[in-house]
Coordinates of all heavy atoms in Angstrom, one line a residue:
I1 N -35.8 62.8 32.7 CA -34.6 61.7 32.4 C -33.3 62.3 32.4 O -32.2 61.7 32.2 CB -34.9 61.0 31.1 CG1 -34.1 59.7 30.9 CG2 -34.7 61.8 30.0 CD1 -34.6 58.8 29.9
S2 N -33.1 63.7 32.5 CA -31.8 64.3 32.4 C -31.3 64.4 31.0 O -31.8 63.7 30.1 CB -30.8 63.8 33.3 OG -31.4 64.0 34.8
P3 N -30.1 65.1 30.7 CA -29.5 64.9 29.4 C -29.3 63.5 29.0 O -28.7 62.7 29.7 CB -28.3 65.8 29.5 CG -28.6 66.7 30.7 CD -29.4 65.9 31.6
V4 N -29.7 63.2 27.8 CA -29.4 61.8 27.2 C -28.6 61.7 26.0 O -28.1 60.6 25.5 CB -30.7 61.1 27.0 CG1 -31.5 60.9 28.4 CG2 -31.6 61.8 26.0
A5 N -28.4 62.8 25.3 CA -27.8 62.9 24.0 C -27.0 64.2 23.7 O -27.5 65.3 24.4 CB -28.6 62.6 22.9
A6 N -25.9 64.2 23.1 CA -25.1 65.3 22.9 C -24.3 65.3 21.8 O -23.9 64.1 21.2 CB -24.3 65.8 24.0
A7 N -23.8 66.4 21.1 CA -23.0 66.3 19.9 C -22.3 67.7 19.7 O -22.9 68.7 20.1 CB -23.5 65.9 18.7
A8 N -21.2 67.8 19.0 CA -20.7 69.1 18.7 C -21.7 69.6 17.6 O -22.0 68.9 16.6 CB -19.3 69.0 18.1
A9 N -22.1 71.0 17.7 CA -23.1 71.3 16.8 C -22.7 71.3 15.3 O -23.6 71.1 14.6 CB -23.5 72.9 17.2
H10 N -21.4 71.6 15.0 CA -21.0 71.5 13.6 C -21.0 70.1 13.1 O -21.1 70.1 11.8 CB -19.5 72.2 13.5 CG -18.6 71.2 14.1 ND1 -18.1 71.4 15.4 CD2 -17.6 70.5 13.4 CE1 -17.1 70.5 15.6 NE2 -16.8 70.0 14.4
K11 N -20.9 69.2 13.9 CA -21.0 67.7 13.6 C -22.3 67.4 12.9 O -22.5 66.4 12.1 CB -20.4 66.8 14.5 CG -18.9 66.9 14.8 CD -18.0 66.4 13.8 CE -16.7 66.2 14.2 NZ -15.8 65.5 13.2
I12 N -23.4 68.0 13.5 CA -24.8 67.5 13.1 C -25.5 68.5 12.4 O -26.8 68.4 12.2 CB -25.5 67.0 14.4 CG1 -25.6 68.1 15.4 CG2 -24.8 65.7 15.0 CD1 -26.5 67.7 16.7
A13 N -24.9 69.6 12.1 CA -25.7 70.8 11.4 C -26.3 70.5 10.3 O -27.4 70.9 9.9 CB -24.7 72.0 11.3
D14 N -25.8 69.6 9.5 CA -26.2 69.2 8.1 C -27.3 68.1 8.2 O -27.7 67.5 7.1 CB -25.1 68.9 7.2 CG -24.3 70.0 6.9 OD1 -24.8 71.2 6.9 OD2 -23.1 69.9 6.6
I15 N -27.5 67.4 9.4 CA -28.5 66.4 9.6 C -29.7 67.0 10.1 O -29.9 67.3 11.3 CB -27.9 65.3 10.4 CG1 -26.6 64.8 9.9 CG2 -28.8 64.2 10.5 CD1 -25.8 63.9 10.8
K16 N -30.8 67.0 9.4 CA -31.9 67.6 9.7 C -32.6 66.9 10.9 O -32.8 65.8 10.8 CB -33.0 67.7 8.6 CG -34.2 68.4 8.9 CD -35.2 68.4 7.7 CE -36.5 69.0 7.9 NZ -37.4 69.0 6.7
G17 N -32.9 67.7 12.0 CA -33.4 67.1 13.2 C -32.5 66.5 14.3 O -32.9 66.0 15.2
A18 N -31.2 66.3 13.9 CA -30.4 65.6 14.7 C -30.1 66.5 16.1 O -29.9 67.7 16.0 CB -29.0 65.5 14.0
V19 N -30.1 65.9 17.2 CA -30.0 66.5 18.5 C -28.8 66.0 19.2 O -28.5 66.6 20.2 CB -31.3 66.4 19.4 CG1 -32.5 67.0 18.7 CG2 -31.7 64.9 19.6
G20 N -28.2 64.9 18.8 CA -27.0 64.4 19.6 C -27.0 62.9 19.6 O -27.9 62.3 19.2
Y21 N -25.8 62.4 20.0 CA -25.6 60.9 20.1 C -25.9 60.5 21.5 O -25.5 61.1 22.4 CB -24.1 60.5 19.8 CG -23.8 60.8 18.3 CD1 -23.3 62.0 18.0 CD2 -24.0 59.8 17.4 CE1 -22.8 62.2 16.5 CE2 -23.7 60.0 16.2 CZ -23.1 61.2 15.8 OH -22.9 61.5 14.4
L22 N -26.6 59.4 21.6 CA -27.1 58.8 22.9 C -26.0 58.5 23.8 O -25.0 57.9 23.4 CB -28.0 57.6 22.6 CG -29.3 57.9 22.0 CD1 -30.1 56.6 21.4 CD2 -30.3 58.8 22.9
A23 N -26.1 58.8 25.0 CA -25.2 58.4 26.0 C -25.1 57.0 26.2 O -26.1 56.2 26.0 CB -25.4 59.0 27.4
P24 N -24.0 56.3 26.6 CA -23.9 54.9 26.7 C -24.8 54.2 27.7 O -25.2 53.0 27.4 CB -22.4 54.5 27.2 CG -21.8 55.9 26.8 CD -22.6 57.0 26.8
W25 N -25.2 55.0 28.6 CA -26.2 54.4 29.7 C -27.7 54.6 29.4 O -28.6 54.2 30.1 CB -26.0 55.0 31.0 CG -26.1 56.6 31.0 CD1 -27.3 57.3 31.2 CD2 -25.1 57.5 30.9 NE1 -27.2 58.6 31.0 CE2 -25.8 58.7 30.8 CE3 -23.7 57.4 30.6 CZ2 -25.0 60.0 30.7 CZ3 -23.0 58.6 30.5 CH2 -23.7 59.8 30.4
V26 N -27.9 55.1 28.1 CA -29.4 55.3 27.7 C -29.7 54.3 26.8 O -29.0 54.1 25.7 CB -29.5 56.8 27.2 CG1 -30.9 57.0 26.6 CG2 -29.1 57.8 28.2
S27 N -30.9 53.7 26.9 CA -31.6 52.8 25.9 C -32.7 53.8 25.3 O -33.5 54.3 26.0 CB -32.2 51.6 26.6 OG -31.1 50.8 27.2
A28 N -32.8 53.7 24.0 CA -33.8 54.5 23.3 C -34.4 53.6 22.0 O -33.5 53.0 21.3 CB -33.2 55.8 22.9
Q29 N -35.6 53.8 21.7 CA -36.1 53.2 20.6 C -37.1 54.1 19.9 O -37.6 55.0 20.6 CB -36.8 51.9 21.0 CG -36.0 50.7 21.4 CD -36.9 49.6 22.1 OE1 -38.0 49.8 22.3 NE2 -36.3 48.5 22.1
S30 N -37.4 54.0 18.6 CA -38.5 54.3 18.0 C -39.5 53.2 17.8 O -39.1 52.2 17.4 CB -38.3 54.9 16.6 OG -37.6 54.1 15.6
V31 N -40.7 53.6 18.0 CA -41.8 52.5 18.0 C -43.1 52.9 17.3 O -43.2 54.0 17.1 CB -42.3 52.1 19.6 CG1 -41.0 51.5 20.4 CG2 -42.9 53.3 20.3
D32 N -43.9 51.9 16.8 CA -45.0 52.2 16.1 C -46.2 52.5 17.1 O -45.9 52.6 18.2 CB -45.4 51.2 15.1 CG -45.7 49.7 15.8 OD1 -45.9 49.8 17.0 OD2 -45.5 48.8 15.0
D33 N -47.4 52.7 16.6 CA -48.6 53.0 17.4 C -48.9 51.8 18.4 O -49.5 52.2 19.3 CB -49.7 53.3 16.6 CG -49.6 54.7 15.8 OD1 -48.8 55.5 16.2 OD2 -50.4 54.9 14.9
A34 N -48.4 50.7 18.1 CA -48.6 49.4 19.0 C -47.5 49.4 19.9 O -47.4 48.3 20.5 CB -48.9 48.3 18.2
N35 N -46.5 50.3 19.9 CA -45.3 50.1 20.8 C -44.3 49.0 20.3 O -43.6 48.6 21.1 CB -45.6 50.1 22.3 CG -46.3 51.4 22.8 OD1 -45.9 52.5 22.4 ND2 -47.1 51.3 23.8
R36 N -44.4 48.7 19.1 CA -43.5 47.6 18.6 C -42.1 48.5 18.1 O -42.3 49.4 17.2 CB -44.1 46.9 17.5 CG -45.3 46.1 17.9 CD -45.9 45.3 16.8 NE -46.5 46.3 15.9 CZ -47.6 46.0 15.2 NH1 -48.1 44.9 15.2 NH2 -48.0 47.0 14.3
P37 N -41.0 48.0 18.5 CA -39.7 48.7 18.2 C -39.6 48.6 16.6 O -39.9 47.7 15.9 CB -38.6 47.9 18.8 CG -39.4 47.3 20.0 CD -40.8 46.9 19.5
L38 N -39.1 49.9 16.0 CA -39.0 49.9 14.6 C -37.3 49.8 14.4 O -36.5 50.0 15.4 CB -39.4 51.3 14.2 CG -40.8 51.5 14.3 CD1 -41.2 52.9 13.8 CD2 -41.6 50.5 13.4

């Protein structure tokens, strides 16, 4: 899918697991085991 999220490292350093802010053209969701959006 190519790069989809980015952030200045110092901005997210204190947020455990943070990898970046999603680009405007990317749709993303977290879903349960039945693929229902959370």
Side-chain angles (χ1 to χ4, degrees):
I1 197 170
S2 300
V4 297
H10 71 277
K11 291 286 189 180
I12 60 175
D14 293 329
I15 305 173
K16 185 178 179 180
V19 296
Y21 292 92
L22 292 165
W25 58 85
V26 175
S27 296
Q29 297 175 337
S30 62
V31 299
D32 61 18
D33 291 339
N35 289 333
R36 293 174 298 206
L38 301 172

